[in-house]
Amino acid sequence: MASTDPSVSSASTKDEDYLSKRQLKQGAVGWFLLTFLGVSYVISGDFSGWNFGLAQGGFGGLLIATILMAVMYLLLVFCLAEMSSSLPTAGGGYGFARCALGPWGGYITGTAIILEYAIAPAAIAVFIGGYMNSLVGVDGPIIYLLFYVVFIGIHLLGVGEAFKIMFVITGTAIVAIGVLVVSLLPHFNAQNLFDIPVNETALGANLFLPHGFLGIWEAIPFAIWFFLAVEGVPLAAEEAHTPHKDIPKSIIYAMTILIIIAFLVLFLVPGVAGSAGMQDHTAPLVGAIQKVHGESSNAALFVNIAGLAGLIASFFSITYGYSRQIFALSRAGYLPKSLSLTSRRKVPVLALVIPGIFGFLLSLTGEGDLLITMAVFGATLSYIMMCTSHLLLRKRSSAKKSKFVTPGGAVTPWVALILAIVAFMSTFLANIVAACWAAIFFGIMILYFALYSRFRLVASAPEEEFAVVSKAEKQIYS
């Protein structure tokens, strides 16, 4: 039994109504929509945010950082595919860590994911404001509030309806990337990549690395923006048709698509418009198209509208992701249990609304780069925990039941773990203020668990039951 307070945990287990009031809509989505979910989580990172890495490391620094992070994410995705195949619950990374590392490990991982997923939409809202300003000249709090209200409202209608809308929005964004590639390729000039002035005082500085070797490290949080949140696909496990097959397939397909798109954007946008001009642009894809076709061209208008769709797609999907992570932690008692109550449409209402209010307040800062760093802090901490969990779980029989086996064996999670640690440390270099704010939030959440919720865990929650089985297997196989 997970709880150290038998009276509370037993009561929860015997309460037949408890889990019946906390049900998601099972079998609502298949692997194809889940693949789009994985792409949708991330695709906003291709439209805004990544370009701040040019200011940190120049094109060369951001390129190297992106290669390293693409490797980290691909290896992490392989690990998640194996774990989700054998442990398909809405807890995702928290559920894996709960089985491998106990309640503390599960809570730390889940809290880190919440930090990532609650803050990322706030950063995206700021970038949406930038695209709206480019499109109609309107930006700021009214835009942020409008998008939070509308898209949380759509989620409240039910997961089936939400996923269909997500499919259309994400498809539009992918088409926009295609138009961008076709439009920019003839105008690509490699010299434009290296137009940022060299900082002569930086160690190893040159045209390729204008801010030196340290710039590579400082660019990592923005390289992560190309891939951040793809790990959220397993959060849909309880709503998938056949989760042990659908989740591994969809997350690998999604990651493959995202890697291709990331490198196309990374080369073409600064290769046409210049790294110096794009390093602080609020709508870099629009800026690149305008450089070629003019500010009032139809191509620029289309990419602006479709770019807005890309930002909305990630905003929409990550909102779904944070609600399912909070739902799982709440259902198991780690967070207030009221957050996991579901409506008649099988939607966790409070898990959608309360973090949405928190995210909207953060968006009022207007500091997109600061919010990115805070989200990356939570993301990379969760990756460290998930890689560690994979190393432990793959030795047990639950991993042997998996329909997918991680290529590379134990080497894969070890390499991903090392890169995740490097990425986590980079947040303090990129923006020490943002990293410290994220650490303070994380510390408050840890205190809540240490002083209160760890005594009130629910043994009948799926992640807790999986953990009991995993613990028994550990004793057998150790």
Side-chain angles (χ1 to χ4, degrees):
M1 186 169 292
S3 175
T4 56
D5 184 342
S7 63
V8 174
S9 204
S10 306
S12 297
T13 304
K14 293 177 181 177
D15 185 357
E16 295 181 358
D17 291 333
Y18 183 81
L19 292 180
S20 68
K21 295 177 181 177
R22 293 163 171 82
Q23 296 287 328
L24 298 174
K25 188 176 181 180
Q26 298 182 353
V29 289
W31 70 267
F32 187 73
L33 276 180
L34 287 171
T35 300
F36 262 78
L37 175 65
V39 175
S40 181
Y41 273 133
V42 183
I43 199 165
S44 67
D46 296 302
F47 287 92
S48 272
W50 62 270
N51 53 306
F52 295 137
L54 294 169
Q56 299 287 345
F59 175 76
L62 181 57
L63 174 62
I64 295 172
T66 302
I67 292 171
L68 291 173
M69 292 303 97
V71 171
M72 181 192 77
Y73 271 94
L74 184 61
L75 300 183
L76 175 66
V77 159
F78 286 147
C79 296
L80 291 174
E82 181 172 330
M83 291 189 290
S84 62
S85 179
S86 56
L87 300 169
T89 69
Y94 137 67
F96 308 147
R98 171 64 185 90
C99 291
L101 301 167
W104 272 103
Y107 183 76
I108 289 171
T109 306
T111 301
I113 293 170
I114 291 172
L115 178 62
E116 170 194 358
Y117 275 55
I119 292 177
I124 295 169
V126 174
F127 300 140
I128 286 174
Y131 271 76
M132 287 294 292
N133 187 53
S134 178
L135 187 63
V136 296
V138 180
D139 194 357
I142 188 65
I143 294 295
Y144 310 154
L145 180 62
L146 175 66
F147 279 89
Y148 266 103
V149 170
V150 169
F151 291 104
I152 287 178
I154 292 173
H155 275 296
L156 294 175
L157 295 177
V159 67
E161 291 76 6
F163 269 62
K164 291 171 186 174
I165 294 171
M166 178 272 297
F167 176 80
V168 174
I169 297 172
T170 306
T172 303
I174 293 173
V175 170
I177 297 289
V179 170
L180 180 89
V181 170
V182 172
S183 298
L184 297 186
L185 263 176
H187 305 279
F188 175 80
N189 185 342
Q191 292 182 347
N192 292 332
L193 300 172
F194 311 111
D195 64 349
I196 293 178
V198 176
N199 180 359
E200 301 292 348
T201 63
L203 179 64
N206 52 50
L207 281 176
F208 184 70
L209 296 173
H211 299 299
F213 299 128
L214 193 61
I216 300 171
W217 205 355
E218 293 176 341
I220 283 177
F222 305 100
I224 285 176
W225 202 242
F226 276 125
F227 312 110
L228 183 130
V230 69
E231 74 278 3
V233 174
L235 293 171
E238 290 185 30
E239 292 158 293
H241 287 316
T242 51
H244 63 282
K245 295 180 181 178
D246 293 341
I247 300 296
K249 182 192 299 184
S250 57
I251 195 172
I252 292 171
Y253 286 170
M255 189 63 207
T256 303
I257 294 168
L258 291 166
I259 288 174
I260 294 170
I261 293 175
F263 284 100
L264 285 172
V265 169
L266 176 59
F267 274 89
L268 286 176
V269 172
V272 169
S275 293
M278 293 294 99
Q279 64 184 346
D280 58 359
H281 203 292
T282 55
L285 273 62
V286 175
I289 287 288
Q290 289 175 337
K291 182 81 172 180
V292 173
H293 297 287
E295 292 189 5
S296 58
S297 65
N298 290 332
L301 178 62
F302 173 76
V303 171
N304 200 329
I305 294 172
L308 190 59
L311 292 166
I312 291 170
S314 290
F315 182 93
F316 193 66
S317 301
I318 296 174
T319 299
Y320 166 84
Y322 76 59
S323 70
R324 270 43 180 185
Q325 185 65 88
I326 291 173
F327 165 82
L329 284 165
S330 167
R331 180 176 61 182
Y334 292 86
L335 295 178
K337 297 182 179 68
S338 60
L339 293 174
S340 56
L341 289 170
T342 50
S343 68
R344 63 182 182 85
R345 293 178 178 270
K346 306 299 182 185
V347 174
V349 176
L350 293 180
L352 278 163
V353 173
I354 291 178
I357 295 171
F358 172 74
F360 168 69
L361 293 175
L362 283 176
S363 72
L364 296 179
T365 65
E367 299 290 338
D369 54 344
L370 181 143
L371 294 170
I372 285 176
T373 305
M374 292 179 69
V376 169
F377 178 100
T380 50
L381 180 57
S382 74
Y383 303 160
I384 292 169
M385 300 298 290
M386 285 188 274
C387 290
T388 304
S389 300
H390 183 266
L391 285 166
L392 296 174
L393 286 174
R394 69 186 310 272
K395 297 178 181 179
R396 305 178 191 170
S397 68
S398 58
K400 302 179 192 302
K401 299 173 187 174
S402 176
K403 304 294 182 182
F404 177 87
V405 178
T406 303
V411 174
T412 297
W414 271 114
V415 174
L417 175 61
I418 292 168
L419 289 172
I421 292 171
V422 170
F424 176 72
M425 294 170 64
S426 76
T427 61
F428 291 90
L429 280 174
N431 193 322
I432 184 68
V433 174
C436 287
W437 275 114
I440 290 170
F441 169 84
F442 192 75
I444 292 171
M445 294 295 289
I446 292 298
L447 281 175
Y448 172 80
F449 181 66
L451 300 177
Y452 182 79
S453 68
R454 71 189 180 98
F455 303 109
R456 292 164 174 80
L457 303 187
V458 180
S460 58
E463 291 81 9
E464 298 299 302
E465 291 185 340
F466 271 123
V468 171
V469 174
S470 183
K471 183 177 180 180
E473 289 171 349
K474 178 182 178 182
Q475 295 171 345
I476 292 171
Y477 286 88
S478 60

